[in-house]
Amino acid sequence: GKFKPVMNADRNMKLAFDIGKIPRNINLDAPPMTGVEYLHRVVLEKRTCPRVFVSNIDKTKYRSRQTLTVDDSNGFICARPGFEPDPDWQEEQLELFSANKTAMFDNRTNLKGKFKRRDVPRINKCKEWCLYCLGSDKHRLIYREDESEASVDTKTAEASEKPRMGDVVCEPNPPLLSIMLYMNQKRLAKLLSYHIDWLEEVGFSHCQGEWLYALLVGLEKPLDPDTCAMLRSLARLCSKLRNDLTSSDHEFLKPLNLILIIISECFDQKDMSDKFIDNKVK
């Protein structure tokens, strides 16, 4: 039959080779007799290893020989007391994200049968996507038209049948399945880059949080270097926006924390985390 790729629920990645469940009565004292038995032992050994290991180096030994000081900060800002995510809430949200990701991957063909492709802007139309995702109010803030360019002759304006984009009133559109199911990885990454630029320009909003979450659900691992760099930029930006919040009851705190824990835990950017020891020291 036709090979069907399987998702690894723990890592949200396509399994290159499915070795099945490890037998409970496996004899670890006996040498493996097949390649699959050997891989079973590799998996068991991996489970005993920490997911992240950081060496503890005494840097004071090298200070006398140090000729250059390099700032190795990753730009991530740790949460202030009371602003970090609750561990139980974090675990619940990560499980939900993983379930959404797996469901979208496993049922893509069936879902496409239920949700027909929706008309959206071409992926290279950044301004049109801004209007579509964030609405006309945010669009005007981001793409401020120069007054001299925006002013037109009255007769010319009356003769024109097409309104300028700045004059269009548009509400934000949510990231529906009829959109996300039909976006390949290249388009997802491109749209993600737009959202990071907009986030830096005008700050966070709930409608943009929905789009960022949907884009992260659609992204597949392994990440290419450019997409990985974008996620790290997004984490740095979200940590800064979180640090600017004035209250731990702010409505944006949980959405920002959600994006941060997804990038850290689900996309393996462990140093972009409140738990990373170097971030706490700095």
Side-chain angles (χ1 to χ4, degrees):
K2 188 176 180 181
F3 173 74
K4 181 181 179 181
V6 182
M7 282 289 284
N8 183 332
D10 295 331
R11 308 289 289 173
N12 291 316
M13 296 175 65
K14 298 176 185 176
L15 288 176
F17 183 68
D18 186 14
I19 61 174
K21 293 184 178 180
I22 300 176
R24 293 184 178 180
N25 59 347
I26 185 172
N27 184 5
L28 298 178
D29 295 327
M33 302 302 294
T34 65
V36 172
E37 288 186 5
Y38 172 76
L39 291 176
H40 285 163
R41 286 162 171 76
V42 172
V43 172
L44 290 174
E45 183 179 356
K46 173 182 174 293
R47 290 176 181 174
T48 64
C49 301
R51 296 189 67 177
V52 178
F53 182 83
V54 181
S55 59
N56 187 14
I57 301 175
D58 184 6
K59 299 179 181 179
T60 59
K61 296 180 180 180
Y62 307 99
R63 285 179 181 172
S64 60
R65 292 183 287 173
Q66 186 170 346
T67 58
L68 179 66
T69 301
V70 178
D71 182 11
D72 58 352
S73 171
N74 60 12
F76 183 90
I77 303 175
C78 264
R80 290 169 287 161
F83 285 76
E84 66 277 1
D86 176 75
D88 293 336
W89 175 84
Q90 175 173 323
E91 183 178 354
E92 179 184 343
Q93 293 302 317
L94 289 175
E95 288 179 359
L96 180 60
F97 177 81
S98 180
N100 289 335
K101 201 173 186 67
T102 303
M104 184 172 176
F105 176 85
D106 290 345
N107 302 308
R108 185 180 293 271
T109 302
N110 293 335
L111 289 172
K112 281 185 176 181
K114 296 180 181 179
F115 302 96
K116 300 302 180 184
R117 184 194 296 266
R118 184 177 292 262
D119 290 333
V120 293
R122 295 172 66 91
I123 196 59
N124 61 337
K125 301 293 185 180
C126 180
K127 292 184 179 181
E128 292 182 20
W129 269 108
C130 180
L131 187 65
Y132 187 87
C133 296
L134 306 183
S136 52
D137 290 342
K138 292 287 186 182
H139 179 273
R140 278 191 287 268
L141 287 174
I142 295 170
Y143 299 104
R144 302 178 183 89
E145 295 183 354
D146 186 69
E147 291 184 3
S148 61
E149 294 180 3
S151 61
V152 293
D153 183 78
T154 306
K155 293 182 180 179
T156 305
E158 291 176 354
S160 175
E161 296 181 359
K162 295 181 68 176
R164 291 181 295 112
M165 191 176 294
D167 297 331
V168 176
V169 177
C170 178
E171 293 297 322
N173 290 284
L176 303 175
L177 283 172
S178 53
I179 302 170
M180 306 309 298
L181 288 170
Y182 297 92
M183 299 192 76
N184 59 29
Q185 293 300 297
K186 186 176 180 180
R187 291 178 178 177
L188 284 171
K190 188 69 173 177
L191 187 53
L192 178 62
S193 70
Y194 293 159
H195 274 279
I196 294 173
D197 291 340
W198 301 332
L199 188 64
E200 191 169 12
E201 184 71 22
V202 295
F204 188 78
S205 62
H206 284 302
C207 62
Q208 188 168 23
E210 293 176 355
W211 276 97
L212 289 171
Y213 185 91
L215 290 169
L216 293 174
V217 168
L219 278 182
E220 295 179 5
K221 296 192 297 184
L223 301 172
D224 63 73
D226 290 337
T227 305
C228 183
M230 280 196 297
L231 289 184
R232 295 179 66 81
S233 296
L234 177 59
R236 281 190 286 268
L237 186 53
C238 287
S239 73
K240 180 182 182 301
L241 292 171
R242 179 182 62 179
N243 193 59
D244 292 339
L245 299 180
T246 56
S247 169
S248 59
D249 296 325
H250 199 286
E251 60 179 330
F252 290 163
L253 180 59
K254 281 191 174 182
L256 289 171
N257 273 334
L258 179 57
I259 295 171
L260 288 170
I261 63 175
I262 288 173
I263 294 174
S264 171
E265 299 296 329
C266 299
F267 291 97
D268 303 316
Q269 305 304 308
K270 302 299 182 181
D271 60 324
M272 294 290 170
S273 166
D274 297 316
K275 296 184 291 185
F276 192 64
I277 188 169
D278 278 9
N279 291 337
K280 292 183 178 180
V281 171
K282 293 164 187 172

